[in-house]
Amino acid sequence: MFGLIGHLTSLEHAQAVARDLGYPEYADQGLDFWCSAPPQIVDHIKVTSITGQVIEGKYVESCFLPEMLATRRLKAATRKIINAMAHAQKNGINITALGGFSSIIFEKFNLDQIGRIRNIKLEFDRFTTGNTHTAYIICRQVEQAAPHLGIDLSKATVAVCGATGDIGSAVCRWLNARMDVGELLLIARDRDRLNHLQEELGRGKIMALDEALPQADVVVWVASMPKGVEIDPETLKKPCLLIDGGYPKNMGTQIQSPGVYVLEGGIVEHALDIDWRIMNIVNMNVPARQLFACFAESMLLEFETIYTNFSWGRNQITLDKMDLIGKISIKHGFKPLMLST
Ligand code: NDP
């Protein structure tokens, strides 16, 4: 049995979903209520691989909201995720993905002091961040979508916003080692971590977002921003490919401008319909088949009975692990989401 721990993108989103799912007592409540709401299993899932294998899983809504970070309710935010993990474990789930911000709040993954939640001793090897599969899928999206728009990657400038993050650093490693990319621009706020990454890669220009955007042919957005930034499409190159892997989205508004192409990053499409309703709630275009790559990682680990925290901690994603999860992803019928033409 696999699990998915998820959260909604804003208080407004959460209230609307609570109303739709038949939890009216949650629908009119403010942030304080959501801070104390317990986790809920709100979906039972069945996934069929293209090999014919069938697995089952559960979706655990953590009741975490990004506003909890924006309003410095960090303790409440961490408690939400820990309680959701305990709930998943108590329900006998073997491997659970921590979607979106669920993993980001564990700043240094120093979880030793959180050994026990009431009568449950958390077994951390039952959980994965899902970031290895997410990073792999985003790299494949760059590799496949850029040439489709006439962007020659060997001459292109690729900017990674959130470059020092878990996903961002893995994407940079892959772009550096596996793809012939003209120029790499590294964007984040902490200068020391940027210097470290630049040293590790042996290349890359450190830049502020405003400075980098007008130079980039491709922008990979994987910053952990509770709220998206506004971008003026006039300042972008044409063509420009924007791959937004943030959840909530890093880009504040949907850009519709000639020559600017926006691709939802870190999203996969399964070859067969999945029996669930949760992807309707997060507004996927094809909810029966499209999902976050991190969620797909726990499905892949369940298919292969790899019951371990495949992705864990910060900046530990290796190219070998990306290769492995990529191979399993193809084997079971997942594909990176591509631009609709
Ligand atoms: P991390 O916390 O590991 O990294 C976040 C990165 O963003 C860091 O480099 C951080 O550096 C940078 N950052 C944060 N705020 C800003 C800002 N305002 N401007 C520029 N850089 C910023 O996060 P993850 O790698 O785990 O996740 C990244 C994103 O991907 C999140 O939005 C997450 O929800 C999403 N995600 C998507 C998944 C999917 O399946 N599609 C799966 C998992 C995550 P610094 O603090 O120095 O600025």
Side-chain angles (χ1 to χ4, degrees):
M1 169 92 65
F2 69 89
L4 314 173
I5 291 180
H7 63 83
L8 299 165
T9 55
S10 66
L11 177 61
E12 199 186 350
H13 186 202
Q15 289 168 332
V17 167
R19 204 164 289 122
D20 285 355
L21 285 183
Y23 293 90
E25 67 278 23
Y26 284 47
D28 300 320
Q29 303 285 347
L31 196 56
D32 284 340
F33 173 86
W34 286 84
C35 282
S36 57
Q40 307 268 352
I41 289 178
V42 295
D43 208 1
H44 297 262
I45 308 162
K46 204 181 265 188
V47 191
T48 306
S49 160
I50 51 171
T51 64
Q53 192 182 343
V54 180
I55 53 169
E56 291 193 34
K58 292 182 201 280
Y59 177 86
V60 184
E61 172 54 51
S62 65
C63 296
F64 161 82
L65 294 173
E67 284 95 336
M68 291 175 193
L69 297 183
T71 57
R72 301 189 179 278
R73 290 167 161 98
L74 198 60
K75 256 194 179 157
T78 315
R79 204 177 54 239
K80 303 263 94 184
I81 306 306
I82 294 291
N83 285 341
M85 290 166 78
H87 198 56
Q89 191 174 308
K90 198 171 74 185
N91 278 275
I93 299 174
N94 299 312
I95 185 76
T96 298
L98 303 174
F101 269 78
S102 312
S103 62
I104 293 167
I105 58 155
F106 299 128
E107 187 39 38
K108 293 192 173 73
F109 275 75
N110 187 9
L111 299 175
D112 296 346
Q113 69 276 32
I114 315 171
R116 187 171 286 278
I117 308 298
R118 291 175 293 279
N119 59 343
I120 295 174
K121 186 175 175 344
L122 278 181
E123 294 163 19
F124 292 117
D125 57 1
R126 287 172 177 250
F127 300 91
T128 184
T129 64
N131 287 348
T132 310
H133 192 225
T134 304
Y136 166 82
I137 290 296
I138 290 175
C139 292
R140 302 314 302 258
Q141 289 180 305
V142 174
E143 199 172 54
Q144 292 172 26
H148 190 71
L149 299 176
I151 297 171
D152 176 355
L153 283 170
S154 67
K155 298 195 183 96
T157 296
V158 180
V160 181
C161 179
T164 54
D166 197 35
I167 299 170
S169 61
V171 168
C172 289
R173 259 172 235 131
W174 183 283
L175 292 177
N176 185 37
R178 294 288 167 83
M179 278 151 87
D180 179 20
V181 167
E183 186 85 70
L184 200 52
L185 308 182
L186 311 175
I187 305 157
R189 295 163 304 176
D190 185 302
R191 186 73 197 202
D192 284 348
R193 286 202 295 227
L194 282 164
N195 287 339
H196 234 247
L197 177 69
Q198 190 186 44
E199 213 170 285
E200 180 200 325
L201 298 171
R203 67 179 291 199
K205 285 188 185 160
I206 297 172
M207 257 184 215
L209 181 61
D210 292 359
E211 199 189 345
L213 286 181
Q215 299 185 29
D217 301 285
V218 179
V219 184
V220 175
W221 297 88
V222 277
S224 48
M225 299 177 186
K227 206 167 185 299
V229 291
E230 299 299 329
I231 300 149
D232 178 2
E234 293 306 314
T235 62
L236 301 173
K237 271 184 160 180
K238 314 285 173 344
C240 182
L241 171 63
L242 304 167
I243 302 183
D244 191 347
Y247 182 82
K249 293 281 162 228
N250 282 180
M251 289 162 51
T253 37
Q254 288 222 330
I255 295 182
Q256 280 182 335
S257 180
V260 179
Y261 301 87
V262 182
L263 177 57
E264 292 197 54
I267 305 290
V268 286
E269 191 158 301
H270 192 45
L272 302 167
D273 282 359
I274 298 175
D275 184 7
W276 62 359
R277 55 179 184 160
I278 199 67
M279 289 298 131
N280 278 316
I281 290 167
V282 291
N283 304 322
M284 286 288 165
N285 288 332
V286 185
R289 295 197 174 195
Q290 293 175 358
L291 61 147
F292 301 108
C294 62
F295 283 171
E297 181 169 307
S298 72
M299 298 173 183
L300 294 170
L301 298 178
E302 174 72 17
F303 275 128
E304 298 290 315
T305 58
I306 302 174
Y307 295 143
T308 177
N309 41 14
F310 191 83
S311 310
W312 201 244
R314 277 281 169 282
N315 296 357
Q316 290 174 20
I317 298 176
T318 62
L319 297 177
D320 284 349
K321 277 198 150 177
M322 289 170 77
D323 282 335
L324 174 60
I325 204 75
K327 217 169 97 190
I328 303 171
S329 182
I330 294 165
K331 172 181 168 187
H332 291 287
F334 292 93
K335 274 191 188 153
L337 186 70
M338 280 298 128
L339 288 162
S340 46
T341 43

